[in-house]
Amino acid sequence: MGLLDSIKNFVIGEEEVEDYEPLVDEENEMETVDVAQERRNREVKINTTATVQIVLCRPTDHSEVKSIGDDLNNQKTVLLNLELVKPDEAKRIMDFLTGVAYANGATIKMTASKTFVIMPKNVGFSGVDLMSEIENNGYSF
């Protein structure tokens, strides 16, 4: 084999030898320790107390929508009641807040007639989707 290896090294060139030494477990020198596997199996415990802030908003016109947008940018959940707003103003408000919600990755759910919940991406929602129920009954702005 020595002759074949020397001919191969002459034709192809000598192979580069890497300075790789496998990690050996101190207790059992025969087994190698996979560092990447140990990192994947590491258990990390994080203790956090998360608070969800809910802001109730009942705007009367489009001028109040900037503060609602600021609340959404601050990752607050907004409960939006548009009963006091004319339909054309309500459409403008929803258009603006839909853009802000999209930019923040938030979701909008209709909970009742002219009442919406706008939730940041880290807040979940469960229950009946009233938006589809209301649309099926023919309600529109």
Side-chain angles (χ1 to χ4, degrees), residues 71-109:
D71 288 333
L72 291 174
N73 286 334
N74 292 325
Q75 301 298 311
K76 295 179 182 176
T77 301
V78 174
L79 182 59
L80 181 66
N81 187 334
L82 297 175
E83 291 177 343
L84 303 176
V85 182
K86 296 177 186 172
D88 58 330
E89 283 289 316
K91 182 166 176 29
R92 288 184 63 207
I93 291 170
M94 284 306 296
D95 287 344
F96 177 79
L97 293 178
T98 300
V100 174
Y102 176 77
N104 289 307
T107 56
I108 301 175
K109 296 286 186 181

Side-chain angles (χ1 to χ4, degrees), residues 6 9 36 54 62-63 89:
S6 59
N9 289 340
I54 300 176
H62 191 268
S63 65
E89 283 289 316

Side-chain angles (χ1 to χ4, degrees), residues 85-140:
V85 182
K86 296 177 186 172
D88 58 330
E89 283 289 316
K91 182 166 176 29
R92 288 184 63 207
I93 291 170
M94 284 306 296
D95 287 344
F96 177 79
L97 293 178
T98 300
V100 174
Y102 176 77
N104 289 307
T107 56
I108 301 175
K109 296 286 186 181
M110 181 180 241
T111 56
S113 175
K114 297 186 180 183
T115 304
F116 301 88
V117 176
I118 308 172
M119 299 164 291
K121 59 185 170 188
N122 62 344
V123 175
F125 182 84
S126 63
V128 179
D129 186 11
L130 294 179
M131 181 66 162
S132 60
E133 183 180 327
I134 291 173
E135 285 177 352
N136 291 338
N137 292 332
Y139 176 79
S140 64

